[in-house]
Amino acid sequence: LLKDMDKAAARILKAIDEDEPMAVFGDYDVDGVTATALLYQHLKNMGARVRCMLPSREGEGYGLSRTALQKLADKGYKLVITVDNGISAVEEAAFAAELGIDLVITDHHLPPASLPQAVAVVDPARPDDESPFKPLSGAGVAFKLCAALDGCEPDELLDFCGDLAAIGTVADVMPLTGENRTLVKAGLRALQNPDRPGLLALREAAGLGDGPVTAENISFALAPRLNAAGRMGS
């Protein structure tokens, strides 16, 4: 039900069918990192030729940049999918079009007066978006994109992506009501015994032991450790 979600899914599925390389461009905060990981892994599992790219907090700053787009264009990428950023990248989107890059934007931040030029702009904060639940995180929007790519109901992916979506949702201080409550409830259940080696190691490093993982644990134990990586280096 998200505006442009059909266009986003169609362009990505076309790239998968034609074995076209694509890049997921995220952000260095927890929501951006989890959204990137979630979508990247899902695309890999679908057989996509995909890489992910995060900007440097110190060197490049937040969001899409002309430098990053030029690097991707030089390596032959014709499709770039943003997660947790892109809605304000009006000039960068125009530059992507000049480079022959198709841009699919997925974000949750408030849009500017004029939307960026892109194949699809998926953002529940768009004034013309009629989807029923607005306060999704960037990881929440990426989760919805994965469901659209699979052509399934989102709840069918909770066991596979709920952990990352929950971390992004809590870390970005989204309200834990409605769809977010469902996402986080499923994610906390998955985080009790994580399948992902990284999350298992992170849980152990945070000293959470064998007790239940709570939203408070994400806020004060897991999320700060994920955030720290981007503050320390690349």
Side-chain angles (χ1 to χ4, degrees), residues 43 50 57-58 74-75 78 83 87 96 116 125 142 144 160 177 197 200 203 221 227:
L43 290 170
V50 59
R57 189 187 298 265
E58 296 298 326
D74 291 345
K75 293 181 179 179
K78 298 292 186 184
V83 289
I87 195 65
K144 290 293 195 75
F160 306 102
T177 58
L200 180 61
R203 180 185 160 134
N227 249 331

Side-chain angles (χ1 to χ4, degrees), residues 1-7 87 109-116 120-132 134:
L1 297 176
L2 284 155
K3 182 79 172 178
D4 275 10
M5 186 64 93
D6 53 343
K7 296 177 185 176
I87 195 65
H109 297 100
L110 289 173
S114 298
L115 293 177
V121 179
V122 181
D123 187 335
R126 283 180 60 163
D128 58 347
D129 180 89
E130 296 180 355
S131 60
K134 300 301 183 183

Side-chain angles (χ1 to χ4, degrees), residues 197-229:
L199 289 182
L200 180 61
L202 190 66
R203 180 185 160 134
E204 291 173 354
L208 296 183
D210 297 326
V213 179
T214 65
E216 187 175 8
N217 294 149
I218 293 176
S219 294
F220 295 104
L222 302 183
R225 286 168 167 80
L226 288 171
N227 249 331

Side-chain angles (χ1 to χ4, degrees), residues 15-40:
I16 295 173
D17 289 343
E18 297 179 2
D19 199 31
E20 178 185 358
M22 65 187 82
V24 176
F25 189 90
D27 186 27
Y28 42 67
D29 71 358
V30 179
D31 189 20
V33 169
T34 51
T36 302
L38 193 160
L39 182 58
Y40 171 80

Side-chain angles (χ1 to χ4, degrees), residues 68-122:
L69 288 166
Q70 188 67 63
K71 284 180 184 177
L72 290 168
D74 291 345
K75 293 181 179 179
Y77 286 86
K78 298 292 186 184
L79 174 59
V80 174
I81 309 152
T82 72
V83 289
D84 192 35
N85 76 96
I87 195 65
S88 60
V90 176
E91 293 181 7
E92 292 79 6
F95 182 64
E98 291 175 17
L99 295 172
I101 291 176
D102 283 346
L103 194 60
V104 170
I105 293 172
T106 76
D107 202 346
H108 70 122
H109 297 100
L110 289 173
S114 298
L115 293 177
Q117 176 184 353
V119 171
V121 179
V122 181

Side-chain angles (χ1 to χ4, degrees), residues 171-195:
D172 232 41
V173 202
M174 297 291 105
L176 300 188
T177 58
E179 293 184 21
N180 285 344
R181 190 173 188 84
T182 302
L183 266 179
V184 172
K185 182 179 179 182
L188 291 176
R189 189 167 58 241
L191 286 167
Q192 306 307 319
N193 296 290
D195 288 332

